[in-house]
mmCIF file of all heavy atoms in Angstrom:
data_model
loop_
_atom_site.group_PDB
_atom_site.id
_atom_site.type_symbol
_atom_site.label_atom_id
_atom_site.label_comp_id
_atom_site.label_asym_id
_atom_site.label_seq_id
_atom_site.Cartn_x
_atom_site.Cartn_y
_atom_site.Cartn_z
ATOM 1 N N TRP A 17 4.342 5.246 2.737
ATOM 2 C CA TRP A 17 5.277 6.060 1.961
ATOM 3 C C TRP A 17 5.335 7.463 2.532
ATOM 4 O O TRP A 17 4.352 7.986 3.071
ATOM 5 C CB TRP A 17 4.841 6.124 0.489
ATOM 6 C CG TRP A 17 3.346 6.033 0.361
ATOM 7 C CD1 TRP A 17 2.445 7.051 0.503
ATOM 8 C CD2 TRP A 17 2.581 4.850 0.123
ATOM 9 N NE1 TRP A 17 1.161 6.585 0.352
ATOM 10 C CE2 TRP A 17 1.211 5.229 0.131
ATOM 11 C CE3 TRP A 17 2.896 3.515 -0.096
ATOM 12 C CZ2 TRP A 17 0.182 4.320 -0.078
ATOM 13 C CZ3 TRP A 17 1.858 2.619 -0.296
ATOM 14 C CH2 TRP A 17 0.529 3.014 -0.291
ATOM 15 N N ARG A 18 6.483 8.070 2.418
ATOM 16 C CA ARG A 18 6.685 9.457 2.844
ATOM 17 C C ARG A 18 7.868 9.998 2.060
ATOM 18 O O ARG A 18 8.977 9.487 2.173
ATOM 19 C CB ARG A 18 6.982 9.522 4.345
ATOM 20 C CG ARG A 18 7.227 10.924 4.872
ATOM 21 C CD ARG A 18 7.388 10.900 6.375
ATOM 22 N NE ARG A 18 6.165 10.439 7.035
ATOM 23 C CZ ARG A 18 5.169 11.242 7.413
ATOM 24 N NH1 ARG A 18 5.263 12.538 7.219
ATOM 25 N NH2 ARG A 18 4.107 10.745 7.989
ATOM 26 N N LEU A 19 7.635 10.987 1.241
ATOM 27 C CA LEU A 19 8.700 11.551 0.408
ATOM 28 C C LEU A 19 8.962 12.999 0.797
ATOM 29 O O LEU A 19 8.040 13.724 1.208
ATOM 30 C CB LEU A 19 8.298 11.529 -1.075
ATOM 31 C CG LEU A 19 8.050 10.179 -1.743
ATOM 32 C CD1 LEU A 19 7.670 10.393 -3.209
ATOM 33 C CD2 LEU A 19 9.276 9.292 -1.641
ATOM 34 N N PHE A 23 10.365 15.710 -4.044
ATOM 35 C CA PHE A 23 10.196 14.537 -4.913
ATOM 36 C C PHE A 23 8.726 14.168 -5.129
ATOM 37 O O PHE A 23 8.433 13.095 -5.654
ATOM 38 C CB PHE A 23 10.983 13.351 -4.332
ATOM 39 C CG PHE A 23 12.451 13.612 -4.241
ATOM 40 C CD1 PHE A 23 13.031 13.947 -3.033
ATOM 41 C CD2 PHE A 23 13.250 13.592 -5.373
ATOM 42 C CE1 PHE A 23 14.383 14.220 -2.939
ATOM 43 C CE2 PHE A 23 14.604 13.866 -5.301
ATOM 44 C CZ PHE A 23 15.175 14.186 -4.083
ATOM 45 N N TRP A 24 7.813 15.047 -4.722
ATOM 46 C CA TRP A 24 6.395 14.777 -4.947
ATOM 47 C C TRP A 24 6.043 14.975 -6.428
ATOM 48 O O TRP A 24 6.723 15.690 -7.161
ATOM 49 C CB TRP A 24 5.532 15.723 -4.110
ATOM 50 C CG TRP A 24 5.586 15.470 -2.620
ATOM 51 C CD1 TRP A 24 6.365 14.551 -1.966
ATOM 52 C CD2 TRP A 24 4.850 16.168 -1.599
ATOM 53 N NE1 TRP A 24 6.156 14.634 -0.607
ATOM 54 C CE2 TRP A 24 5.232 15.618 -0.347
ATOM 55 C CE3 TRP A 24 3.919 17.202 -1.612
ATOM 56 C CZ2 TRP A 24 4.704 16.078 0.858
ATOM 57 C CZ3 TRP A 24 3.398 17.646 -0.403
ATOM 58 C CH2 TRP A 24 3.782 17.080 0.817
ATOM 59 N N HIS A 25 4.947 14.358 -6.829
ATOM 60 C CA HIS A 25 4.337 14.554 -8.156
ATOM 61 C C HIS A 25 5.249 14.148 -9.310
ATOM 62 O O HIS A 25 5.286 14.774 -10.357
ATOM 63 C CB HIS A 25 3.860 16.003 -8.318
ATOM 64 C CG HIS A 25 2.952 16.426 -7.198
ATOM 65 N ND1 HIS A 25 1.808 15.731 -6.869
ATOM 66 C CD2 HIS A 25 3.049 17.434 -6.287
ATOM 67 C CE1 HIS A 25 1.234 16.300 -5.816
ATOM 68 N NE2 HIS A 25 1.964 17.329 -5.432
ATOM 69 N N GLN A 26 6.014 13.061 -9.062
ATOM 70 C CA GLN A 26 6.833 12.492 -10.132
ATOM 71 C C GLN A 26 6.529 10.998 -10.313
ATOM 72 O O GLN A 26 7.196 10.319 -11.085
ATOM 73 C CB GLN A 26 8.326 12.654 -9.805
ATOM 74 C CG GLN A 26 8.785 14.102 -9.641
ATOM 75 C CD GLN A 26 10.235 14.188 -9.163
ATOM 76 O OE1 GLN A 26 11.108 13.474 -9.664
ATOM 77 N NE2 GLN A 26 10.480 15.055 -8.196
ATOM 78 N N GLY A 27 5.589 10.487 -9.539
ATOM 79 C CA GLY A 27 5.249 9.075 -9.631
ATOM 80 C C GLY A 27 6.103 8.154 -8.772
ATOM 81 O O GLY A 27 5.949 6.931 -8.834
ATOM 82 N N LEU A 28 6.982 8.732 -7.960
ATOM 83 C CA LEU A 28 7.927 7.890 -7.206
ATOM 84 C C LEU A 28 7.251 7.072 -6.108
ATOM 85 O O LEU A 28 7.576 5.897 -5.911
ATOM 86 C CB LEU A 28 9.048 8.761 -6.606
ATOM 87 C CG LEU A 28 9.934 9.449 -7.640
ATOM 88 C CD1 LEU A 28 10.921 10.384 -6.939
ATOM 89 C CD2 LEU A 28 10.685 8.420 -8.471
ATOM 90 N N ALA A 29 6.304 7.671 -5.396
ATOM 91 C CA ALA A 29 5.628 6.936 -4.322
ATOM 92 C C ALA A 29 4.821 5.783 -4.916
ATOM 93 O O ALA A 29 4.816 4.671 -4.363
ATOM 94 C CB ALA A 29 4.729 7.868 -3.517
ATOM 95 N N SER A 30 4.163 6.032 -6.044
ATOM 96 C CA SER A 30 3.367 4.969 -6.675
ATOM 97 C C SER A 30 4.276 3.843 -7.170
ATOM 98 O O SER A 30 3.934 2.657 -7.049
ATOM 99 C CB SER A 30 2.550 5.544 -7.835
ATOM 100 O OG SER A 30 1.632 6.488 -7.341
ATOM 101 N N VAL A 52 -2.733 2.861 5.431
ATOM 102 C CA VAL A 52 -3.486 3.730 6.340
ATOM 103 C C VAL A 52 -3.138 5.174 6.027
ATOM 104 O O VAL A 52 -1.979 5.498 5.801
ATOM 105 C CB VAL A 52 -3.084 3.400 7.801
ATOM 106 C CG1 VAL A 52 -3.741 4.359 8.772
ATOM 107 C CG2 VAL A 52 -3.440 1.965 8.146
ATOM 108 N N ARG A 53 -4.153 6.039 5.986
ATOM 109 C CA ARG A 53 -3.891 7.454 5.706
ATOM 110 C C ARG A 53 -4.791 8.336 6.552
ATOM 111 O O ARG A 53 -5.865 7.889 7.003
ATOM 112 C CB ARG A 53 -4.106 7.764 4.223
ATOM 113 C CG ARG A 53 -5.555 7.623 3.808
ATOM 114 C CD ARG A 53 -5.793 8.008 2.369
ATOM 115 N NE ARG A 53 -7.144 7.640 1.969
ATOM 116 C CZ ARG A 53 -8.222 8.418 2.091
ATOM 117 N NH1 ARG A 53 -8.115 9.638 2.594
ATOM 118 N NH2 ARG A 53 -9.410 8.001 1.725
ATOM 119 N N HIS A 54 -4.373 9.586 6.718
ATOM 120 C CA HIS A 54 -5.260 10.583 7.299
ATOM 121 C C HIS A 54 -6.426 10.756 6.322
ATOM 122 O O HIS A 54 -6.208 10.808 5.106
ATOM 123 C CB HIS A 54 -4.497 11.902 7.484
ATOM 124 C CG HIS A 54 -5.283 12.936 8.214
ATOM 125 N ND1 HIS A 54 -6.265 13.677 7.594
ATOM 126 C CD2 HIS A 54 -5.251 13.331 9.506
ATOM 127 C CE1 HIS A 54 -6.800 14.504 8.478
ATOM 128 N NE2 HIS A 54 -6.209 14.313 9.643
ATOM 129 N N ASN A 57 -5.904 13.083 3.415
ATOM 130 C CA ASN A 57 -4.696 12.970 2.586
ATOM 131 C C ASN A 57 -5.054 12.391 1.205
ATOM 132 O O ASN A 57 -4.944 11.190 0.949
ATOM 133 C CB ASN A 57 -3.660 12.099 3.306
ATOM 134 C CG ASN A 57 -2.296 12.174 2.643
ATOM 135 O OD1 ASN A 57 -2.197 12.483 1.457
ATOM 136 N ND2 ASN A 57 -1.251 11.897 3.406
ATOM 137 N N ASP A 59 -3.591 12.906 -1.736
ATOM 138 C CA ASP A 59 -2.453 12.435 -2.539
ATOM 139 C C ASP A 59 -2.154 10.965 -2.215
ATOM 140 O O ASP A 59 -1.904 10.148 -3.114
ATOM 141 C CB ASP A 59 -1.208 13.283 -2.277
ATOM 142 C CG ASP A 59 -1.279 14.643 -2.946
ATOM 143 O OD1 ASP A 59 -2.187 14.855 -3.789
ATOM 144 O OD2 ASP A 59 -0.435 15.507 -2.633
ATOM 145 N N SER A 60 -2.167 10.648 -0.915
ATOM 146 C CA SER A 60 -1.887 9.268 -0.519
ATOM 147 C C SER A 60 -3.016 8.341 -0.975
ATOM 148 O O SER A 60 -2.761 7.198 -1.378
ATOM 149 C CB SER A 60 -1.701 9.199 1.001
ATOM 150 O OG SER A 60 -1.069 7.995 1.344
ATOM 151 N N ARG A 62 -4.651 8.613 -3.677
ATOM 152 C CA ARG A 62 -4.442 8.318 -5.103
ATOM 153 C C ARG A 62 -3.333 7.281 -5.298
ATOM 154 O O ARG A 62 -3.391 6.456 -6.212
ATOM 155 C CB ARG A 62 -4.158 9.606 -5.887
ATOM 156 C CG ARG A 62 -5.421 10.427 -6.126
ATOM 157 C CD ARG A 62 -5.221 11.478 -7.206
ATOM 158 N NE ARG A 62 -4.248 12.488 -6.826
ATOM 159 C CZ ARG A 62 -4.503 13.527 -6.037
ATOM 160 N NH1 ARG A 62 -5.713 13.688 -5.536
ATOM 161 N NH2 ARG A 62 -3.554 14.398 -5.745
ATOM 162 N N VAL A 63 -2.299 7.312 -4.445
ATOM 163 C CA VAL A 63 -1.263 6.275 -4.522
ATOM 164 C C VAL A 63 -1.906 4.905 -4.272
ATOM 165 O O VAL A 63 -1.649 3.929 -4.986
ATOM 166 C CB VAL A 63 -0.131 6.537 -3.492
ATOM 167 C CG1 VAL A 63 0.872 5.388 -3.489
ATOM 168 C CG2 VAL A 63 0.586 7.855 -3.806
ATOM 169 N N MET A 64 -2.793 4.846 -3.265
ATOM 170 C CA MET A 64 -3.464 3.578 -2.936
ATOM 171 C C MET A 64 -4.372 3.135 -4.089
ATOM 172 O O MET A 64 -4.399 1.956 -4.458
ATOM 173 C CB MET A 64 -4.273 3.753 -1.644
ATOM 174 C CG MET A 64 -3.387 4.026 -0.433
ATOM 175 S SD MET A 64 -4.328 4.563 1.014
ATOM 176 C CE MET A 64 -3.002 5.078 2.113
ATOM 177 N N ARG A 66 -4.038 3.887 -7.281
ATOM 178 C CA ARG A 66 -3.226 3.441 -8.429
ATOM 179 C C ARG A 66 -2.719 2.011 -8.226
ATOM 180 O O ARG A 66 -2.540 1.271 -9.191
ATOM 181 C CB ARG A 66 -2.063 4.402 -8.668
ATOM 182 C CG ARG A 66 -2.448 5.622 -9.482
ATOM 183 C CD ARG A 66 -1.226 6.445 -9.895
ATOM 184 N NE ARG A 66 -0.717 7.200 -8.783
ATOM 185 C CZ ARG A 66 -1.091 8.459 -8.491
ATOM 186 N NH1 ARG A 66 -1.950 9.088 -9.263
ATOM 187 N NH2 ARG A 66 -0.592 9.086 -7.459
HETATM 188 C C1 COA B 1 1.851 10.724 0.089
HETATM 189 C C2 COA B 1 2.929 11.176 -0.872
HETATM 190 C C3 COA B 1 4.100 10.198 -0.837
HETATM 191 C C4 COA B 1 2.290 11.197 -2.272
HETATM 192 O O1 COA B 1 3.183 11.785 -3.181
HETATM 193 P P1 COA B 1 2.749 12.023 -4.701
HETATM 194 O O2 COA B 1 3.855 12.784 -5.316
HETATM 195 O O3 COA B 1 1.366 12.546 -4.775
HETATM 196 O O4 COA B 1 2.677 10.536 -5.319
HETATM 197 P P2 COA B 1 3.571 9.918 -6.461
HETATM 198 O O5 COA B 1 5.024 10.036 -6.140
HETATM 199 O O6 COA B 1 3.055 8.547 -6.703
HETATM 200 O O7 COA B 1 3.270 10.845 -7.716
HETATM 201 C C5 COA B 1 2.024 10.741 -8.366
HETATM 202 C C6 COA B 1 1.706 12.021 -9.067
HETATM 203 O O8 COA B 1 2.782 12.378 -9.917
HETATM 204 C C7 COA B 1 2.258 12.661 -11.224
HETATM 205 N N1 COA B 1 3.349 12.424 -12.181
HETATM 206 C C8 COA B 1 4.072 13.417 -12.759
HETATM 207 N N2 COA B 1 5.016 12.894 -13.538
HETATM 208 C C9 COA B 1 4.889 11.537 -13.461
HETATM 209 C C10 COA B 1 5.588 10.471 -14.075
HETATM 210 N N3 COA B 1 6.612 10.663 -14.916
HETATM 211 N N4 COA B 1 5.214 9.203 -13.783
HETATM 212 C C11 COA B 1 4.187 8.974 -12.942
HETATM 213 N N5 COA B 1 3.477 9.990 -12.339
HETATM 214 C C12 COA B 1 3.837 11.256 -12.600
HETATM 215 C C13 COA B 1 1.055 11.766 -11.328
HETATM 216 O O9 COA B 1 0.145 12.216 -12.307
HETATM 217 C C14 COA B 1 0.477 11.900 -9.931
HETATM 218 O O10 COA B 1 -0.241 13.097 -9.817
HETATM 219 P P3 COA B 1 -1.777 13.079 -9.269
HETATM 220 O O11 COA B 1 -1.772 12.321 -7.951
HETATM 221 O O12 COA B 1 -2.112 14.508 -9.115
HETATM 222 O O13 COA B 1 -2.556 12.347 -10.294
HETATM 223 C C15 COA B 1 3.459 12.582 -0.509
HETATM 224 O O14 COA B 1 2.386 13.507 -0.589
HETATM 225 C C16 COA B 1 4.049 12.648 0.906
HETATM 226 O O15 COA B 1 5.157 12.166 1.158
HETATM 227 N N6 COA B 1 3.314 13.258 1.851
HETATM 228 C C17 COA B 1 3.769 13.424 3.216
HETATM 229 C C18 COA B 1 3.789 12.131 3.974
HETATM 230 C C19 COA B 1 2.489 11.403 3.866
HETATM 231 O O16 COA B 1 1.424 12.011 3.881
HETATM 232 N N7 COA B 1 2.604 10.080 3.748
HETATM 233 C C20 COA B 1 1.454 9.218 3.601
HETATM 234 C C21 COA B 1 0.957 8.790 4.887
HETATM 235 S S1 COA B 1 -0.494 7.819 4.623
#
Side-chain angles (χ1 to χ4, degrees):
W17 31 82
R18 179 175 297 271
L19 297 180
F23 299 102
W24 291 4
H25 306 305
Q26 300 174 44
L28 296 175
S30 297
V52 175
R53 67 176 170 89
H54 186 281
N57 192 336
D59 285 349
S60 197
R62 284 196 295 279
V63 175
M64 295 168 190
R66 277 189 284 268

